[in-house]
Amino acid sequence: MEHTQEDGAVEETNMAAWLSGIKKLQIRPYHLPPLGPNDVKVQIKALGICGSDVHHFKNMRVANFIVKKPMVIGHECAGIIKDVGSSVKSLAVGDRVALEPGISCNTCNLCKNGTYNLCPKMKFFGSPPTNGSLANQVVHPANLVYKLPDNVSLEEGAMCEPLSVAVHACRRADVTPDTKVLIFGAGPIGLLTMLAARTFGSPKIIVADVDDSRLSFAKHLGADAIIQVSTNIQDIDEEVAKIHKLMGDGVDISFDCVGFNKTMSTALTATRSGGKVCLVGLGPSPMTIPLVPAAAREVDVIGIFRYRNTWPICIELLRTGKIDVKPLITHRYKFTQEDVEKAFETSAQGGDAIKVMFNL
Amino acid sequence: MGKGGKSEGSNGQEQNMAAWLVAVNTLKIQPFNLPTLGPYDARVRMKAVGICGSDVHYLKTLRCADFVVKEPMVIGHECAGVIEEVGSEVKDLVPGDRVALEPGISCWKCTQCKEGRYNLCPDMKFFATPPVHGSLANQVVHPADLCFKLPDNVSLEEGAMCEPLSVGVHACRRANIGPETNVLVMGAGPIGLVTMLAARAFGAPRIVIVDVEDSRLSVAKKLGADEIIKVTTNIQDVAGEVELIHKAMGGGVDVSFDCAGFNKTMTTALTATRAGGKVCLVGMGHHEMTVPLTPAAAREVDVVGIFRYKNTWPLCLEFLRSGKIDVKPLITHRYGFSQKEVEEAFETSAGGGNAIKVMFNL
């Protein structure tokens, strides 16, 4: 949409997808803040939909984050630099970049100790009250904007965000060539965790899910074995026996990329003494789980919140082809009112929709 | 104190006696034939044996988690004594040495053992964990490498206390306690108290301890807790208690030790601990728990599990030798080794309350 400025010049009005009510997304003008000396202005070209975006869309909240006023949605993004602040040396207009969504305060203890993802003052794209990035353009700190190598596409750049969750989980859980891995959930996060675990050297990876088609896809992407499980808590013992048979040995690390009683209970039971269960998926709370028998075998539970210091490694893994995220992009939409609505519907349905991507 | 339990056989040799768990709530002092002394073994005359919550649990239910007492078993595992005889290959110990015993014999062949996490050995043979006999006896035979010489200024009772103290030490290591970790301890029973003492020895600058019982909290304060808070068993009270805890701590809780292991204590710990902190689950209350794990995990609060200990006796003995830790106040009741006293001792221990550690002197 164009508008005429005071000096007669015609400028594009920046438009964004605003969440203004339950299941109510509207493309409307989005006025950007002025460019600070350390900021860049990015023309967004690729943006993926995350489960949390869908959750905001359906509920106007995620956990304690409540959408109290209209908010621009979206945070998994990449684009092209349109303008750089006066102090920005590392980036230039025209650079293709991926964006790390969260601006931390850099003054609290959590930030200074390197755990900036836990900063209580974090301003994160699409996490109320901070506006997201499903827009023509955004303004963002240059130090959170990473140049893409020539052979990494803008869509792959946008995939760095969910891939970062997987990489952070593999780091926290300490995946190595010695660790056999079990993953619950073959959705986008489970699949990326599988790809990241392989890159970190895991010699054997089993993926579990309720959905046959998602499991086939996981096998296609390189799972050593797949196992269809149920949502029934009674089936745990049987499923654990099957998992152990498939693994041939102990499960060193389990990633629960779903976050329900059933998956967590299975993970806690299946993981060997001294192993780890990494809780990545954010499901309902409280959970009812066999925590004591697991703790009494020194199975530790590792928590995951987003990521920290992951863009450089993600970009490098994509550049060298060590990880190929392209097959995960299953649906593409344009930045129009109709397509925005369709895209969210598709993403919300799950099934064979893994990553739904906007091309702007 | 009765020296009862020792009796002579027909050839004048001493008959080794032990306290056997023969049925629910039934302990009997009966003969206990020792195995022959192997080249790497030591025969130890027991002098001090403490009662553990697990011993009481076996007495009351004949089981503990998946371990079931299927035939009579000698009870007891927290012990210290005097070397009577050593095997032919034993170089570091001689008769007369006062030693503390580490109860568990691991296999040293499996991956867990070889990687140093021998406490997780699937073939572990542990005093008084069925089917392995315990050490509430006149004498036991045990691998010499699991008998640790006591420094001159450390008593046999303190030697026996190394076992529960080891749980506290292992927990502090796994939770990485140091001069920068503010610590919350849930439960002021023997394990909560040794965990508190260990945390202080590891350098924790501030320790807040909570319990439902006033008298136990007073003991904790006397033993050096910075603050004590009385809490309830009511899940509704979590939010209020977390506020009190934060106030008492004066800052964030870096590490919480749940030494009780119930929904309420775990929920409080998971809620009270700061982002990036740790909750160490030491106590084994409920098998299945209903807890707010997701919000805690989403703040990267990790849950660290504890099973017994590994490589803790040398450090415990050094803490006791230097006086950095004083376990003596925890020994609240003492009994001799006679049928009547064994029964009374277990009753006292099971009663809890102002009974912290009940100790046998043999």
Side-chain angles (χ1 to χ4, degrees), chain B residues 78 87 91 111 113-114 122 146 149 153 162 165 171 208 211 213 255 259 271 277 293 297 300 304 307 340 354 358 362:
Chain B
E78 307 184 357
K91 309 272 176 272
T111 311
C113 282
K114 290 200 245 179
L146 294 171
K149 208 166 148 185
N153 68 331
C162 283
L165 180 58
V208 172
D211 198 288
E213 243 188 81
V255 176
C259 299
T271 313
L293 185 61
E300 296 196 353
V304 176
F307 187 62
K340 180 160 175 267
N354 65 351
V358 175
L362 297 88

Side-chain angles (χ1 to χ4, degrees), chain A residues 12-83:
Chain A
E12 286 282 328
T13 302
N14 192 41
M15 305 297 280
W18 292 82
L19 180 66
S20 54
I22 289 186
K23 297 201 180 155
K24 204 160 163 232
L25 276 171
Q26 288 173 307
I27 296 185
R28 288 202 318 252
Y30 176 32
H31 299 295
L32 293 174
L35 197 69
N38 293 304
D39 293 336
V40 292
K41 189 186 291 190
V42 185
Q43 185 87 22
I44 301 293
K45 300 300 286 176
L47 188 142
I49 300 180
C50 169
S52 64
D53 297 317
V54 173
H55 201 93
H56 280 115
F57 174 69
K58 285 183 174 178
N59 303 284
M60 287 288 275
R61 70 180 294 163
V62 171
N64 292 328
F65 295 100
I66 302 174
V67 185
K68 294 184 183 136
K69 53 179 209 225
M71 175 190 82
V72 175
I73 201 103
H75 59 275
E76 306 185 359
C77 57
I80 300 178
I81 304 276
K82 281 279 145 172
D83 200 1

